[in-house]
Amino acid sequence: MSGGMRLLPWSGPDGQRCYLSSDEGGGYLSQLADDMEEAQLGTGEELLRHTADLLNGPAEATARELRFCVHRLCEALRDALRVAESRGGRLT
């Protein structure tokens, strides 16, 4: 989104998108959003490693374990797509 609007990595109380109106990236909320994005991407990397270990492990993964991983991977992908959209919108 243009005009100094930054898509934030969290949703509002009703699930709506949140934006920060700022021309500078050094404010408190901008730094908080940067930290949150890094945490979200890090969580996605951890989930990928965990899922790979589960799938390549010596024992067969249970349906419950796989379902849990799929749900968490969906959340991580949703977060990563939001981060990509937010960062893409800030490219000049």
Coordinates of all heavy atoms in Angstrom, one line a residue:
M1 N 0.9 -1.2 0.0 CA 0.0 0.0 0.0 C 0.9 1.2 0.0 O 1.9 1.3 0.7 CB -0.9 -0.1 1.2 CG -1.9 1.0 1.2 SD -3.2 0.7 2.5 CE -4.6 1.1 1.6
S2 N 0.6 2.2 -0.8 CA 1.4 3.4 -0.9 C 1.0 4.5 0.1 O 0.1 4.3 0.9 CB 1.3 3.9 -2.3 OG 0.0 4.3 -2.6
G3 N 1.7 5.6 0.0 CA 1.3 6.8 0.8 C 1.8 6.6 2.3 O 1.2 7.2 3.2
G4 N 2.9 5.9 2.5 CA 3.3 5.8 3.9 C 2.5 4.8 4.8 O 2.7 4.9 6.0
M5 N 1.7 4.0 4.2 CA 0.9 3.0 5.0 C 1.7 1.7 5.0 O 2.0 1.1 3.9 CB -0.5 2.8 4.4 CG -1.3 4.1 4.4 SD -1.6 4.8 6.0 CE -2.9 3.6 6.5
R6 N 1.9 1.1 6.2 CA 2.6 -0.1 6.3 C 1.6 -1.2 6.9 O 1.0 -1.0 7.9 CB 3.7 0.0 7.3 CG 4.4 -1.3 7.6 CD 5.5 -1.2 8.6 NE 6.1 -2.5 8.9 CZ 7.2 -2.7 9.5 NH1 7.8 -1.7 10.1 NH2 7.6 -3.9 9.7
L7 N 1.5 -2.3 6.2 CA 0.7 -3.4 6.7 C 1.4 -4.0 7.8 O 2.6 -4.4 7.7 CB 0.5 -4.5 5.6 CG -0.2 -5.7 5.9 CD1 -1.7 -5.4 6.4 CD2 -0.2 -6.7 4.8
L8 N 0.7 -4.1 9.0 CA 1.4 -4.7 10.2 C 1.2 -6.2 10.2 O 0.3 -6.7 9.7 CB 0.8 -4.0 11.4 CG 1.0 -2.5 11.5 CD1 0.3 -1.9 12.7 CD2 2.5 -2.2 11.7
P9 N 2.1 -6.9 10.9 CA 2.0 -8.3 11.0 C 1.0 -8.9 12.0 O 1.1 -10.1 12.3 CB 3.5 -8.7 11.4 CG 4.0 -7.6 12.2 CD 3.3 -6.3 11.6
W10 N 0.1 -8.1 12.4 CA -1.0 -8.6 13.3 C -2.3 -8.1 12.8 O -2.4 -7.1 12.1 CB -0.7 -8.3 14.8 CG -0.5 -6.8 15.0 CD1 -1.5 -5.8 15.1 CD2 0.8 -6.1 15.1 NE1 -0.9 -4.6 15.3 CE2 0.5 -4.7 15.3 CE3 2.1 -6.5 15.2 CZ2 1.5 -3.8 15.5 CZ3 3.1 -5.6 15.4 CH2 2.8 -4.2 15.5
S11 N -3.4 -8.7 13.3 CA -4.7 -8.3 12.9 C -5.4 -7.5 14.0 O -5.0 -7.7 15.2 CB -5.6 -9.5 12.6 OG -5.0 -10.2 11.5
G12 N -6.4 -6.8 13.7 CA -7.2 -6.1 14.7 C -8.1 -7.1 15.4 O -8.1 -8.3 15.1
P13 N -8.9 -6.5 16.3 CA -9.8 -7.4 17.2 C -10.8 -8.2 16.4 O -11.1 -9.3 16.8 CB -10.5 -6.4 18.1 CG -10.0 -5.1 17.8 CD -9.0 -5.1 16.7
D14 N -11.2 -7.7 15.3 CA -12.2 -8.5 14.5 C -11.5 -9.1 13.3 O -12.2 -9.5 12.3 CB -13.3 -7.5 14.0 CG -14.1 -7.0 15.1 OD1 -14.3 -7.7 16.1 OD2 -14.5 -5.8 15.1
G15 N -10.2 -9.3 13.3 CA -9.5 -10.0 12.2 C -9.2 -9.0 11.0 O -8.6 -9.5 10.0
Q16 N -9.5 -7.8 11.1 CA -9.2 -6.8 10.0 C -7.7 -6.5 10.0 O -7.0 -6.6 10.9 CB -10.1 -5.6 10.2 CG -9.6 -4.6 11.2 CD -10.1 -4.8 12.6 OE1 -10.6 -5.9 12.9 NE2 -10.1 -3.8 13.4
R17 N -7.3 -6.1 8.8 CA -5.9 -5.7 8.6 C -5.6 -4.4 9.4 O -6.5 -3.5 9.5 CB -5.6 -5.5 7.1 CG -5.7 -6.7 6.3 CD -5.6 -6.4 4.9 NE -5.1 -7.6 4.2 CZ -4.1 -7.7 3.4 NH1 -3.5 -6.6 3.0 NH2 -3.8 -8.8 2.8
C18 N -4.4 -4.3 9.9 CA -3.9 -3.1 10.6 C -2.8 -2.5 9.8 O -1.9 -3.2 9.3 CB -3.4 -3.5 12.0 SG -4.7 -4.1 13.1
Y19 N -2.9 -1.2 9.7 CA -1.9 -0.4 9.0 C -1.3 0.6 9.9 O -2.0 1.2 10.8 CB -2.5 0.3 7.8 CG -2.9 -0.7 6.7 CD1 -4.2 -1.2 6.7 CD2 -2.0 -1.1 5.7 CE1 -4.6 -2.1 5.7 CE2 -2.4 -2.0 4.7 CZ -3.7 -2.5 4.7 OH -4.1 -3.4 3.8
L20 N 0.0 1.0 9.7 CA 0.7 2.0 10.4 C 0.9 3.2 9.4 O 1.5 2.9 8.3 CB 2.0 1.5 11.0 CG 2.9 2.5 11.7 CD1 2.2 3.1 12.9 CD2 4.2 1.9 12.1
S21 N 0.5 4.3 9.7 CA 0.7 5.5 8.9 C 2.0 6.1 9.3 O 2.1 6.7 10.4 CB -0.4 6.5 9.0 OG -0.1 7.7 8.3
S22 N 3.1 6.0 8.5 CA 4.4 6.5 8.9 C 5.2 6.7 7.7 O 5.3 5.9 6.8 CB 5.1 5.6 9.9 OG 6.4 6.0 10.2
D23 N 6.0 7.8 7.6 CA 6.9 8.0 6.6 C 8.3 7.6 7.0 O 9.2 7.4 6.1 CB 7.0 9.5 6.2 CG 5.7 10.0 5.5 OD1 5.0 9.1 4.9 OD2 5.3 11.1 5.6
E24 N 8.5 7.3 8.2 CA 9.8 6.9 8.7 C 9.7 5.5 9.4 O 8.7 5.2 10.0 CB 10.4 7.9 9.7 CG 10.6 9.3 9.1 CD 11.2 10.2 10.1 OE1 11.9 9.8 11.1 OE2 11.0 11.4 9.9
G25 N 10.8 4.7 9.2 CA 10.7 3.4 9.8 C 11.4 3.2 11.1 O 11.6 2.1 11.6
G26 N 11.7 4.3 11.8 CA 12.4 4.2 13.1 C 11.6 4.3 14.3 O 12.1 4.2 15.4
G27 N 10.3 4.4 14.2 CA 9.4 4.6 15.4 C 9.2 3.3 16.2 O 9.6 2.2 15.7
Y28 N 8.6 3.4 17.3 CA 8.4 2.3 18.2 C 7.6 1.2 17.6 O 7.9 0.0 17.6 CB 7.8 2.7 19.5 CG 7.4 1.6 20.4 CD1 8.3 0.9 21.2 CD2 6.1 1.2 20.5 CE1 8.0 -0.2 22.0 CE2 5.7 0.1 21.3 CZ 6.7 -0.6 22.1 OH 6.4 -1.6 22.8
L29 N 6.5 1.6 17.0 CA 5.6 0.6 16.3 C 6.2 -0.1 15.1 O 6.0 -1.3 14.9 CB 4.2 1.2 16.0 CG 3.3 1.3 17.1 CD1 2.0 2.0 16.6 CD2 3.0 0.0 17.8
S30 N 7.0 0.7 14.4 CA 7.7 0.1 13.2 C 8.7 -0.9 13.7 O 8.9 -2.0 13.1 CB 8.5 1.2 12.4 OG 7.5 2.0 11.7
Q31 N 9.5 -0.6 14.8 CA 10.4 -1.6 15.3 C 9.7 -2.8 15.9 O 10.2 -3.9 15.7 CB 11.3 -0.9 16.4 CG 12.4 -1.8 16.9 CD 13.4 -2.2 15.8 OE1 13.9 -1.4 15.1 NE2 13.6 -3.5 15.7
L32 N 8.6 -2.6 16.5 CA 7.8 -3.7 17.1 C 7.3 -4.6 15.9 O 7.4 -5.9 16.0 CB 6.6 -3.2 17.9 CG 5.8 -4.3 18.5 CD1 6.5 -5.0 19.6 CD2 4.6 -3.6 19.2
A33 N 6.9 -4.0 14.8 CA 6.4 -4.8 13.7 C 7.6 -5.5 13.0 O 7.5 -6.7 12.7 CB 5.8 -3.8 12.6
D34 N 8.8 -4.9 12.9 CA 10.0 -5.6 12.4 C 10.3 -6.8 13.3 O 10.6 -7.9 12.7 CB 11.2 -4.6 12.4 CG 11.0 -3.5 11.3 OD1 10.2 -3.6 10.4 OD2 11.8 -2.5 11.4
D35 N 10.3 -6.6 14.6 CA 10.6 -7.7 15.5 C 9.6 -8.8 15.3 O 10.0 -10.0 15.3 CB 10.7 -7.2 16.9 CG 11.8 -6.3 17.2 OD1 12.7 -6.2 16.4 OD2 11.8 -5.6 18.2
M36 N 8.3 -8.5 15.2 CA 7.3 -9.5 15.1 C 7.4 -10.3 13.8 O 7.3 -11.5 13.7 CB 5.9 -8.8 15.1 CG 4.8 -9.8 14.9 SD 4.5 -10.9 16.2 CE 3.0 -10.1 16.9
E37 N 7.7 -9.6 12.7 CA 8.0 -10.2 11.4 C 9.1 -11.2 11.5 O 9.0 -12.4 11.0 CB 8.2 -9.2 10.3 CG 7.0 -8.4 9.9 CD 7.4 -7.4 8.8 OE1 8.6 -7.1 8.5 OE2 6.4 -6.8 8.3
E38 N 10.2 -10.8 12.1 CA 11.3 -11.7 12.3 C 11.0 -12.9 13.1 O 11.4 -14.1 12.8 CB 12.5 -11.0 12.9 CG 13.2 -10.0 12.0 CD 13.6 -10.5 10.7 OE1 14.3 -11.6 10.6 OE2 13.4 -9.9 9.6
A39 N 10.2 -12.7 14.2 CA 9.8 -13.9 15.0 C 8.9 -14.8 14.2 O 9.0 -16.0 14.3 CB 9.0 -13.4 16.2
Q40 N 8.0 -14.2 13.4 CA 7.1 -15.1 12.6 C 7.8 -15.9 11.6 O 7.6 -17.1 11.4 CB 6.0 -14.2 11.9 CG 5.0 -13.6 12.8 CD 4.1 -12.6 12.2 OE1 4.5 -11.8 11.2 NE2 2.9 -12.5 12.6
L41 N 8.8 -15.3 10.9 CA 9.6 -16.0 9.9 C 10.5 -17.1 10.6 O 10.6 -18.2 10.0 CB 10.5 -15.0 9.1 CG 9.7 -14.0 8.2 CD1 10.6 -13.1 7.5 CD2 8.8 -14.8 7.2
G42 N 11.0 -16.8 11.7 CA 11.8 -17.7 12.5 C 10.9 -18.9 12.9 O 11.4 -20.1 12.9
T43 N 9.7 -18.7 13.3 CA 8.8 -19.7 13.7 C 8.5 -20.6 12.5 O 8.5 -21.9 12.6 CB 7.5 -19.2 14.3 OG1 7.8 -18.4 15.5 CG2 6.5 -20.3 14.6
G44 N 8.3 -20.0 11.3 CA 8.1 -20.8 10.1 C 9.3 -21.7 9.8 O 9.1 -22.9 9.4
E45 N 10.5 -21.2 10.0 CA 11.7 -22.0 9.8 C 11.7 -23.2 10.7 O 12.1 -24.3 10.4 CB 13.0 -21.2 9.9 CG 13.1 -20.2 8.8 CD 14.3 -19.3 9.0 OE1 14.9 -19.2 10.1 OE2 14.7 -18.6 8.0
E46 N 11.4 -22.9 12.0 CA 11.4 -24.0 13.0 C 10.4 -25.1 12.7 O 10.6 -26.3 12.8 CB 11.1 -23.4 14.4 CG 12.2 -22.6 15.0 CD 11.9 -22.0 16.3 OE1 11.1 -22.6 17.1 OE2 12.4 -20.9 16.6
L47 N 9.2 -24.6 12.2 CA 8.1 -25.6 11.8 C 8.6 -26.4 10.6 O 8.3 -27.6 10.6 CB 6.9 -24.8 11.5 CG 6.0 -24.3 12.7 CD1 5.0 -23.3 12.2 CD2 5.4 -25.5 13.4
L48 N 9.2 -25.8 9.7 CA 9.7 -26.6 8.5 C 10.7 -27.7 9.0 O 10.6 -28.9 8.6 CB 10.4 -25.7 7.5 CG 9.4 -24.9 6.6 CD1 10.2 -24.0 5.7 CD2 8.6 -25.8 5.8
R49 N 11.6 -27.3 9.9 CA 12.6 -28.3 10.4 C 11.9 -29.4 11.2 O 12.2 -30.6 11.0 CB 13.6 -27.6 11.3 CG 14.7 -26.9 10.5 CD 15.9 -26.5 11.4 NE 15.5 -25.6 12.5 CZ 15.4 -24.2 12.3 NH1 15.7 -23.7 11.1 NH2 15.1 -23.5 13.3
H50 N 10.9 -29.0 12.0 CA 10.2 -30.0 12.8 C 9.4 -31.0 11.9 O 9.4 -32.2 12.2 CB 9.3 -29.3 13.8 CG 8.4 -30.2 14.6 ND1 8.9 -31.1 15.6 CD2 7.1 -30.5 14.5 CE1 7.9 -31.8 16.1 NE2 6.8 -31.5 15.4
T51 N 8.8 -30.4 10.9 CA 8.0 -31.2 10.0 C 8.9 -32.2 9.2 O 8.5 -33.4 9.1 CB 7.1 -30.4 9.1 OG1 6.3 -29.5 9.9 CG2 6.2 -31.2 8.2
A52 N 10.0 -31.7 8.8 CA 10.9 -32.6 8.0 C 11.4 -33.7 8.9 O 11.5 -34.9 8.5 CB 12.1 -31.8 7.5
D53 N 11.7 -33.4 10.2 CA 12.2 -34.4 11.1 C 11.1 -35.4 11.4 O 11.3 -36.6 11.4 CB 12.6 -33.8 12.5 CG 13.9 -33.0 12.4 OD1 14.6 -33.1 11.4 OD2 14.1 -32.2 13.3
L54 N 9.9 -34.9 11.5 CA 8.7 -35.8 11.7 C 8.5 -36.8 10.5 O 8.3 -38.0 10.7 CB 7.5 -35.0 12.0 CG 6.2 -35.8 12.3 CD1 6.3 -36.5 13.7 CD2 5.0 -34.8 12.4
L55 N 8.6 -36.2 9.3 CA 8.4 -37.0 8.1 C 9.5 -38.0 7.8 O 9.3 -39.0 7.3 CB 8.1 -36.1 6.9 CG 6.8 -35.3 7.0 CD1 6.8 -34.3 5.8 CD2 5.6 -36.2 7.0
N56 N 10.7 -37.6 8.2 CA 11.9 -38.4 7.9 C 12.4 -39.3 9.1 O 13.4 -39.9 9.0 CB 13.1 -37.5 7.5 CG 12.7 -36.8 6.2 OD1 12.1 -37.4 5.3 ND2 13.1 -35.6 6.1
G57 N 11.6 -39.2 10.2 CA 12.0 -39.9 11.4 C 11.9 -41.4 11.2 O 11.3 -41.9 10.3
P58 N 12.4 -42.2 12.2 CA 12.3 -43.6 12.2 C 10.9 -44.2 12.3 O 10.6 -45.2 11.8 CB 13.2 -44.1 13.3 CG 13.3 -42.9 14.2 CD 13.1 -41.7 13.4
A59 N 10.1 -43.5 13.1 CA 8.7 -43.9 13.3 C 7.7 -43.2 12.4 O 8.0 -42.1 12.0 CB 8.3 -43.7 14.7
E60 N 6.7 -43.9 12.0 CA 5.7 -43.3 11.2 C 4.9 -42.2 11.9 O 4.5 -42.5 13.1 CB 4.7 -44.3 10.6 CG 3.8 -43.8 9.5 CD 3.0 -45.0 8.9 OE1 3.7 -45.9 8.4 OE2 1.8 -44.8 8.8
A61 N 4.7 -41.1 11.4 CA 4.0 -40.0 12.0 C 2.5 -40.4 12.1 O 1.9 -40.9 11.2 CB 4.1 -38.7 11.2
T62 N 1.9 -40.0 13.2 CA 0.5 -40.3 13.4 C -0.4 -39.2 12.6 O 0.1 -38.1 12.3 CB 0.1 -40.3 14.9 OG1 0.2 -38.9 15.4 CG2 0.9 -41.2 15.7
A63 N -1.6 -39.5 12.4 CA -2.5 -38.6 11.8 C -2.6 -37.3 12.6 O -2.7 -36.2 12.1 CB -3.9 -39.2 11.6
R64 N -2.7 -37.4 13.9 CA -2.8 -36.3 14.8 C -1.5 -35.4 14.7 O -1.6 -34.2 14.7 CB -3.0 -36.8 16.3 CG -3.2 -35.7 17.2 CD -3.5 -36.2 18.6 NE -3.7 -35.1 19.5 CZ -4.2 -35.2 20.7 NH1 -4.5 -36.4 21.2 NH2 -4.4 -34.2 21.5
E65 N -0.3 -36.0 14.7 CA 0.9 -35.2 14.5 C 0.9 -34.5 13.2 O 1.3 -33.3 13.1 CB 2.1 -36.2 14.6 CG 2.3 -36.7 16.0 CD 3.4 -37.8 16.0 OE1 3.5 -38.6 15.1 OE2 4.2 -37.8 17.0
L66 N 0.5 -35.2 12.1 CA 0.5 -34.6 10.8 C -0.5 -33.4 10.7 O -0.2 -32.4 10.2 CB 0.2 -35.6 9.7 CG 1.3 -36.6 9.5 CD1 0.9 -37.7 8.6 CD2 2.6 -36.0 9.1
R67 N -1.7 -33.6 11.3 CA -2.7 -32.6 11.3 C -2.2 -31.3 12.1 O -2.4 -30.2 11.6 CB -4.0 -33.1 11.9 CG -5.2 -32.3 11.7 CD -6.5 -32.9 12.1 NE -6.5 -34.0 13.0 CZ -6.6 -35.3 12.6 NH1 -6.8 -35.6 11.4 NH2 -6.6 -36.3 13.5
F68 N -1.6 -31.6 13.2 CA -1.0 -30.5 14.0 C 0.0 -29.7 13.1 O -0.1 -28.4 13.1 CB -0.3 -31.0 15.3 CG 0.3 -29.9 16.1 CD1 -0.4 -29.1 16.9 CD2 1.7 -29.7 16.0 CE1 0.1 -28.1 17.7 CE2 2.3 -28.7 16.7 CZ 1.5 -27.9 17.6
C69 N 0.9 -30.4 12.5 CA 1.9 -29.7 11.6 C 1.3 -29.0 10.5 O 1.7 -27.8 10.2 CB 2.9 -30.8 11.1 SG 4.1 -31.3 12.3
V70 N 0.3 -29.5 9.9 CA -0.4 -28.9 8.7 C -1.0 -27.6 9.2 O -0.9 -26.5 8.6 CB -1.4 -29.8 8.0 CG1 -2.3 -29.0 7.1 CG2 -0.7 -30.9 7.3
H71 N -1.7 -27.6 10.4 CA -2.3 -26.4 10.9 C -1.3 -25.3 11.2 O -1.4 -24.1 10.8 CB -3.1 -26.7 12.2 CG -4.4 -27.3 11.9 ND1 -5.5 -26.6 11.3 CD2 -4.9 -28.6 12.1 CE1 -6.5 -27.5 11.2 NE2 -6.2 -28.7 11.7
R72 N -0.2 -25.7 11.8 CA 0.9 -24.7 12.2 C 1.6 -24.2 10.9 O 1.9 -23.0 10.8 CB 1.9 -25.4 13.1 CG 1.4 -25.9 14.4 CD 0.8 -24.9 15.4 NE -0.5 -24.4 15.1 CZ -1.7 -25.0 15.4 NH1 -1.7 -26.2 16.0 NH2 -2.8 -24.5 15.1
L73 N 1.8 -25.1 9.9 CA 2.4 -24.6 8.7 C 1.5 -23.7 7.9 O 2.0 -22.7 7.3 CB 2.8 -25.8 7.8 CG 3.9 -26.7 8.3 CD1 4.0 -28.0 7.5 CD2 5.2 -25.9 8.1
C74 N 0.2 -23.9 8.0 CA -0.8 -22.9 7.3 C -0.7 -21.6 8.0 O -0.7 -20.5 7.3 CB -2.2 -23.5 7.4 SG -2.5 -24.8 6.3
E75 N -0.6 -21.6 9.3 CA -0.4 -20.3 10.1 C 0.9 -19.6 9.7 O 0.9 -18.4 9.4 CB -0.5 -20.5 11.6 CG -1.8 -21.0 12.1 CD -1.7 -21.4 13.6 OE1 -0.6 -21.5 14.1 OE2 -2.8 -21.7 14.1
A76 N 2.0 -20.4 9.6 CA 3.2 -19.8 9.3 C 3.3 -19.3 7.8 O 3.8 -18.2 7.6 CB 4.4 -20.9 9.4
L77 N 2.6 -20.0 6.9 CA 2.6 -19.5 5.5 C 1.7 -18.2 5.4 O 2.1 -17.3 4.7 CB 2.0 -20.6 4.6 CG 1.8 -20.2 3.2 CD1 3.1 -19.8 2.5 CD2 1.2 -21.4 2.4
R78 N 0.6 -18.2 6.2 CA -0.2 -17.0 6.2 C 0.6 -15.8 6.7 O 0.6 -14.7 6.1 CB -1.4 -17.2 7.1 CG -2.4 -16.1 7.0 CD -3.7 -16.4 7.8 NE -4.3 -17.7 7.5 CZ -4.3 -18.8 8.3 NH1 -3.8 -18.7 9.5 NH2 -4.8 -19.9 7.9
D79 N 1.4 -16.0 7.8 CA 2.3 -14.9 8.3 C 3.3 -14.5 7.3 O 3.6 -13.3 7.1 CB 2.9 -15.4 9.6 CG 2.0 -15.5 10.8 OD1 0.9 -15.0 10.7 OD2 2.4 -16.2 11.7
A80 N 4.0 -15.5 6.7 CA 5.0 -15.2 5.7 C 4.5 -14.4 4.5 O 5.1 -13.5 4.0 CB 5.7 -16.5 5.2
L81 N 3.3 -14.8 4.0 CA 2.7 -14.0 2.9 C 2.4 -12.6 3.3 O 2.5 -11.7 2.5 CB 1.4 -14.7 2.4 CG 1.7 -16.1 1.7 CD1 0.4 -16.8 1.4 CD2 2.5 -15.9 0.4
R82 N 1.9 -12.4 4.6 CA 1.7 -11.0 5.0 C 3.0 -10.2 5.1 O 3.0 -9.1 4.8 CB 1.0 -11.1 6.4 CG 0.6 -9.7 6.9 CD 0.0 -9.7 8.3 NE -1.3 -10.3 8.3 CZ -2.4 -9.7 8.6 NH1 -2.4 -8.4 8.9 NH2 -3.5 -10.3 8.6
V83 N 4.0 -10.9 5.6 CA 5.3 -10.2 5.7 C 5.8 -9.8 4.3 O 6.2 -8.7 4.1 CB 6.4 -11.1 6.4 CG1 7.8 -10.5 6.2 CG2 6.0 -11.3 7.9
A84 N 5.7 -10.7 3.3 CA 6.1 -10.5 2.0 C 5.3 -9.3 1.4 O 5.8 -8.4 0.7 CB 5.9 -11.7 1.1
E85 N 4.0 -9.3 1.6 CA 3.1 -8.2 1.1 C 3.5 -6.9 1.8 O 3.6 -5.9 1.1 CB 1.6 -8.5 1.4 CG 0.7 -7.5 0.9 CD -0.8 -7.8 1.2 OE1 -1.1 -8.9 1.7 OE2 -1.6 -6.9 0.9
S86 N 3.7 -6.9 3.1 CA 4.1 -5.7 3.7 C 5.4 -5.1 3.2 O 5.6 -3.9 2.9 CB 4.2 -5.9 5.3 OG 4.6 -4.8 5.9
R87 N 6.4 -6.0 3.1 CA 7.7 -5.6 2.7 C 7.7 -5.2 1.2 O 8.4 -4.2 0.8 CB 8.8 -6.7 2.9 CG 9.0 -6.9 4.4 CD 10.0 -7.9 4.7 NE 10.3 -8.1 6.2 CZ 11.1 -8.9 6.7 NH1 11.9 -9.6 5.9 NH2 11.3 -8.9 8.0
G88 N 6.9 -5.9 0.4 CA 6.8 -5.5 -1.0 C 6.2 -4.1 -1.2 O 6.5 -3.4 -2.0
G89 N 5.2 -3.8 -0.3 CA 4.5 -2.5 -0.4 C 5.4 -1.4 0.0 O 5.1 -0.2 -0.3
R90 N 6.5 -1.7 0.7 CA 7.4 -0.6 1.2 C 8.6 -0.4 0.2 O 9.4 0.4 0.5 CB 7.9 -0.9 2.6 CG 6.8 -0.7 3.6 CD 7.3 -1.0 5.0 NE 7.2 -2.4 5.2 CZ 8.0 -3.1 6.0 NH1 9.1 -2.6 6.5 NH2 7.9 -4.4 6.2
L91 N 8.7 -1.3 -0.8 CA 9.8 -1.1 -1.8 C 9.6 0.2 -2.6 O 8.4 0.5 -3.0 CB 9.9 -2.3 -2.7 CG 10.3 -3.6 -2.1 CD1 10.2 -4.7 -3.2 CD2 11.7 -3.5 -1.5
T92 N 10.6 0.9 -2.9 CA 10.5 2.1 -3.7 C 10.9 1.9 -5.1 O 11.6 1.0 -5.4 CB 11.4 3.2 -3.1 OG1 12.7 2.8 -3.0 CG2 10.8 3.6 -1.7

